[in-house]
Amino acid sequence: MTSPSVDIEIPIFRFDSGARLHVTRAYVEQLAATPSEYEVGAVEQAIGRLDYQDAFARVLARSVSGSPIPAELMAALFPWCPPRDSVGLVALADGERGTRLVELSERGRFPHDFDGAALHALALRAAWMLDGENVRTRITKELHRLRARYKAPRGYYSSAIAGELARSLGEDAIARDYDVVLPQEVIDLQAALMATRATVLETILKELEGANPQKQVGRQAIVRVATKIGRNEPCPCGSGQKYKRCHGSSGHDVPLTPSTLTTDDIMAMPYERIGMLNPEALADAPLQALLNRFFEALAGPRAEQALEVLAGRPSVPRVHLDRYRVQLVAAAASSHRHDVVQRHIDKIEASNAERFGLSPVPRLTLALRLGSPDVAQHLLVAAAEAVKDDTGRRAQILAAHLLFSAPALGILVGRGCLLADEAIAEILLRMTGEARIELGLPPDDPAVRIHAGLQHEREAHDARAEANRLRSALQEATRRIREIEQRARDLEQRGRELEAQLRERDAALVEREASGAADPIDARTLREKIETLQARIREGNEERAMLRRQLAATDASADDGERVQSGGGVAAGPGDEEEEAAPADAVPRRVVVPFWSRAAEDGLRTVPTHVAAAALRTVADLAGGDVAAWRAIKRPAHVDRPVLMARIGIHHRLIFDIEGDKLGVLELIPRSSLDLAVKRLRAT
């Protein structure tokens, strides 16, 4: 018989994303006793084998021994530490810390998930605190990129850090999109940078001396735990098994603390609440729901933490765990969290890896990151899998991973993926520019010109297809007009015949009226037939006129398509403001000073790197009075303001004006937004 159950309040909410690095003070002091254990090379080796916990311990050992922590070493480890440890790392480092942190952002060295976004925002915040106005422009540009790349759910602490940074920079428009709470990591960062390095180090070492319970926040969840449970009774955790085979087994060391939260409760919770749940306090089914929520939110460290708790439950089948591990490994590889891939990929059974479609790309990127001798074999396997996919999706994924892990090889593979849709091609081009910077090369890759040519070919192909469609419509309209004209001629002939009959009848009617034998009904019927025929003739004439108008419009559109087919450019759609634009009359031959409006600056920050570079070059040429550049300038039609327009590549347009000796750049917009922009200029 089971004893009465009791209500126990245990905290199941906590704020940060996962457990702290498992480093003890004793281990740090042990390393500090041997100089070879904490030299820069030893730290770099630990980072190279993806043992970031050990690398963090060796960095602390350098500080304990009085050795400096170079800013370059701090930057190499910063993206792979939990936020609270990254704060201490920045405070203990020497050198140009702010510059190195901004460079991390510019080179895209952070994991590409929301936890990586939190570190990304924290690095920019630290750079702003360290170097201030010297890096304001670079930080602001990176903040715009961060905002465009990561649409974090409300309640996620990366959004709080980014919002606080936006307010500090005076970017109120961005700050309004984020939470208003002041993140604890920023408070800790401010305190750490104001304190001495000795104080920061002693604080960290004290926290590493023993257990450091996580700060508990939020409400208390009521859980129901039976004080005594029969061995053959159902386990209170909700697994459906007997207690003796579940939490009552001798090998089960997981505390029996099932929460009253159900799967439906987990699925209905907003992220700001599930982000503070303690997985160990949940039963198996709600825990799996929590894990799925973390996967959906791209919260890699939290998903890993929940998966490890789930793996400790004997009631969960191995196949379920392997399915979750495949999902975790795939997400971690896409986010460049190679340490997570290393911890889990060998735990997956080969049959389950194939069953759940684990790509060879994670093993390839891990081998590249570790410098494994079998990296060539992994590359061949990944390439063979990529070419089997006729959609090109796997090749694009392979290119994206290689651009991060092996930039030179990634650039070559990426050039072969430019036939993808425009959005994916733009992403690969941006990553290619970052990879070239990583290799010390100019950011403009030949792939940009290749992409522009392919895009032009696609547009020309679409225009030819449209011209063929219009030509078919023209032929159909011509056939229809001929039918209507023939029917109109038949009706006219029939009408003439009826009119002749009517005249004959009228003459006969006059004679009969004179003799007193007229039939008025017969005459009235004949006149009604004539009126009906005349109405049908009018309708036919109206239909013929309408079809002739349609024919003229179709003929004009077909001519536009023919111009494209013969190399005359892309046909503009009806109402296209660019088609109506006229060449500029007045071309300055003097040097003018360019000024960028706030809208133009925002546009410059959000477009791809190669587009921004082209826009800057165009403005420089115009401001310098380059005749060739001015020949391509157009003036929008029906706009009272003296504004001008320049093409930036295929898909973007630059709107500017000239006032005295100043060239004012008003907007940098996509071509698809040109009509709306011109209409707005007409209204002002």
Side-chain angles (χ1 to χ4, degrees):
M1 186 70 179
T2 305
S3 301
S5 61
V6 295
D7 287 344
I8 303 175
E9 289 194 356
I10 65 170
I12 66 168
F13 289 88
R14 57 189 176 193
F15 175 75
D16 63 339
S17 64
R20 189 190 181 96
L21 294 175
H22 301 297
V23 175
T24 64
R25 179 168 187 164
Y27 180 57
V28 172
E29 292 175 345
Q30 176 187 343
L31 293 174
T34 307
S36 60
E37 296 290 348
Y38 59 76
E39 63 182 8
V40 172
V43 180
E44 291 176 342
Q45 288 177 8
I47 296 174
R49 61 176 181 267
L50 310 182
D51 193 348
Y52 302 126
Q53 299 182 15
D54 190 54
F56 181 70
R58 294 176 188 275
V59 166
L60 292 180
R62 288 186 63 83
S63 190
V64 169
S65 67
S67 301
I69 301 173
E72 293 77 11
L73 193 62
M74 175 273 297
L77 185 56
F78 184 96
W80 313 108
C81 291
R84 60 187 301 182
D85 294 314
S86 296
V87 167
L89 194 61
V90 173
L92 293 175
D94 294 301
E96 298 179 346
R97 295 171 291 175
T99 301
R100 297 294 172 264
L101 290 172
V102 175
E103 289 175 351
L104 278 178
S105 175
E106 293 172 338
R107 292 162 55 190
R109 296 292 94 181
F110 291 92
H112 294 179
D113 55 15
F114 286 124
D115 292 276
L119 284 164
H120 193 162
L122 190 63
L124 294 175
R125 186 66 178 95
W128 173 247
M129 292 179 184
L130 290 166
D131 289 347
E133 293 294 336
N134 294 333
V135 289
R136 172 190 281 273
T137 301
R138 296 169 68 185
I139 291 175
T140 302
K141 180 179 179 180
E142 292 306 306
L143 178 61
H144 280 270
R145 290 179 59 192
L146 182 66
R147 178 198 185 194
R149 179 174 295 179
Y150 297 102
K151 304 295 184 183
R154 293 191 68 83
Y156 211 103
Y157 59 89
S158 62
S159 63
I161 298 173
E164 196 278 335
L165 173 60
R167 285 186 290 276
S168 300
L169 292 170
E171 296 286 333
D172 296 334
I174 299 179
R176 283 193 295 270
D177 292 343
Y178 293 110
D179 294 332
V180 296
V181 64
L182 182 63
Q184 183 63 42
E185 285 83 354
V186 176
I187 298 175
D188 294 342
L189 180 63
Q190 292 171 337
L193 293 180
M194 293 176 63
T196 63
R197 286 185 172 86
T199 301
V200 173
L201 177 62
E202 186 59 29
T203 301
I204 295 175
L205 293 178
K206 283 183 178 180
E207 291 180 353
L208 299 178
E209 285 179 354
N212 181 32
Q214 298 285 351
K215 180 181 178 181
Q216 307 296 345
V217 298
R219 67 174 179 84
Q220 302 290 308
I222 305 297
V223 299
R224 189 173 298 274
V225 180
T227 56
K228 185 177 181 180
I229 304 169
R231 288 174 50 77
N232 292 318
E233 293 182 7
C235 186
C237 74
S239 65
Q241 296 187 3
K242 292 182 179 180
Y243 176 66
K244 66 181 181 182
R245 298 185 184 278
C246 191
H247 281 77
S249 62
S250 59
H252 200 301
D253 57 356
V254 177
L256 179 56
T257 55
S259 167
T260 56
L261 293 174
T262 66
T263 298
D264 292 338
D265 294 333
I266 299 296
M267 299 306 294
M269 279 186 180
Y271 186 82
E272 55 263 33
R273 291 187 60 194
I274 72 162
M276 297 186 289
L277 285 173
N278 178 5
E280 295 178 358
L282 300 175
D284 291 353
L287 178 57
Q288 293 184 60
L290 179 68
L291 180 58
N292 289 326
R293 289 291 304 275
F294 285 150
F295 279 132
E296 291 172 0
L298 302 180
R302 287 174 170 169
E304 184 183 16
Q305 181 188 10
L307 179 57
E308 288 304 306
V309 174
L310 191 66
R313 308 279 177 88
S315 57
V316 181
R318 172 64 182 269
V319 65
H320 289 178
L321 293 176
D322 279 357
R323 176 168 60 85
Y324 285 126
R325 289 194 194 279
V326 167
Q327 191 173 355
L328 178 65
V329 166
S334 298
S335 303
H336 308 300
R337 290 189 177 270
H338 307 296
D339 54 328
V340 177
V341 176
Q342 185 181 41
R343 286 196 292 270
H344 293 273
I345 197 166
D346 290 329
K347 296 180 181 179
I348 305 171
E349 289 185 352
S351 59
N352 287 334
E354 183 177 357
R355 175 182 179 182
F356 297 120
L358 181 61
S359 166
V361 171
R363 287 194 181 276
L364 169 62
T365 55
L366 181 62
L368 286 168
R369 185 67 178 80
L370 295 174
S372 301
D374 58 349
V375 65
Q377 181 62 32
H378 289 300
L379 179 59
L380 292 175
V381 172
E385 287 293 322
V387 297
K388 292 177 184 178
D389 180 17
D390 292 336
T391 66
R393 177 64 178 165
R394 290 189 179 181
Q396 297 155 17
I397 293 174
L398 177 61
H401 283 279
L402 290 176
L403 283 167
F404 191 89
S405 302
L409 186 58
I411 291 173
L412 295 178
V413 177
R415 289 175 182 173
C417 298
L418 294 180
L419 287 175
D421 63 74
E422 185 176 349
I424 294 177
E426 289 287 350
I427 293 173
L428 291 176
L429 288 174
R430 175 181 55 77
M431 294 182 67
T432 297
E434 295 171 352
R436 289 179 65 87
I437 293 174
E438 185 76 11
L439 296 171
L441 301 173
D444 288 337
D445 191 79
V448 175
R449 295 190 294 273
I450 296 172
H451 173 61
L454 291 173
Q455 185 66 19
H456 178 73
E457 288 183 7
R458 281 194 288 265
E459 291 179 350
H461 177 270
D462 293 342
R464 286 192 293 269
E466 179 67 9
N468 291 333
R469 186 191 67 80
L470 293 173
R471 194 176 294 107
S472 298
L474 175 62
Q475 293 172 355
E476 177 62 22
T478 302
R479 184 190 64 78
R480 177 64 174 157
I481 286 176
R482 288 172 180 169
E483 290 180 355
I484 292 174
E485 289 177 341
Q486 182 60 45
R487 191 170 63 188
R489 285 193 294 270
D490 293 342
L491 289 173
E492 289 174 356
Q493 179 62 30
R494 179 60 178 163
R496 285 193 294 269
E497 292 175 355
L498 289 174
E499 287 177 353
Q501 292 179 14
L502 179 60
R503 286 193 296 271
E504 293 176 0
R505 291 290 184 92
D506 282 343
L509 182 60
V510 171
E511 293 178 0
R512 295 177 66 182
E513 285 177 350
S515 62
D519 186 359
I521 296 177
D522 189 29
R524 185 168 60 252
T525 301
L526 188 59
R527 287 191 177 90
E528 289 175 354
K529 288 183 179 180
I530 292 176
E531 291 175 357
T532 301
L533 283 172
Q534 289 175 341
R536 291 176 63 182
I537 291 172
R538 286 194 299 271
E539 291 175 359
N541 290 336
E542 292 175 358
E543 185 177 3
R544 182 172 58 182
M546 179 185 67
L547 285 175
R548 286 191 181 279
R549 289 193 296 270
Q550 293 178 356
L551 177 61
T554 304
D555 194 14
S557 299
D559 287 344
D560 289 339
E562 290 295 337
R563 283 198 299 273
V564 173
Q565 190 171 6
S566 61
V570 178
D576 192 334
E577 297 293 350
E578 190 169 17
E579 185 72 12
E580 297 180 4
D585 298 328
V587 179
R589 294 294 191 271
R590 63 185 185 282
V591 175
V592 293
V593 180
F595 289 89
W596 291 74
S597 69
R598 186 63 174 270
E601 289 183 4
D602 290 342
L604 192 66
R605 294 188 183 99
T606 55
V607 298
T609 305
H610 67 279
V611 176
L616 291 171
R617 286 194 295 268
T618 300
V619 171
D621 292 341
L622 295 173
D626 184 88
V627 176
W630 277 97
R631 285 175 181 164
I633 299 304
K634 291 186 177 182
R635 188 185 306 278
H638 311 299
V639 177
D640 295 334
R641 295 177 56 186
V643 295
L644 302 170
M645 181 171 61
R647 291 170 57 94
I648 306 298
I650 300 175
H651 305 293
H652 294 82
R653 300 296 180 265
L654 189 77
I655 298 177
F656 64 98
D657 61 10
I658 297 288
E659 293 185 6
D661 292 331
K662 295 180 180 179
L663 187 151
V665 185
L666 305 178
E667 289 185 85
L668 176 59
I669 57 175
R671 183 181 182 275
S672 58
S673 303
L674 180 60
D675 288 1
L676 183 61
V678 172
K679 290 177 181 177
R680 188 170 58 250
L681 290 170
R682 289 172 181 166
T684 57

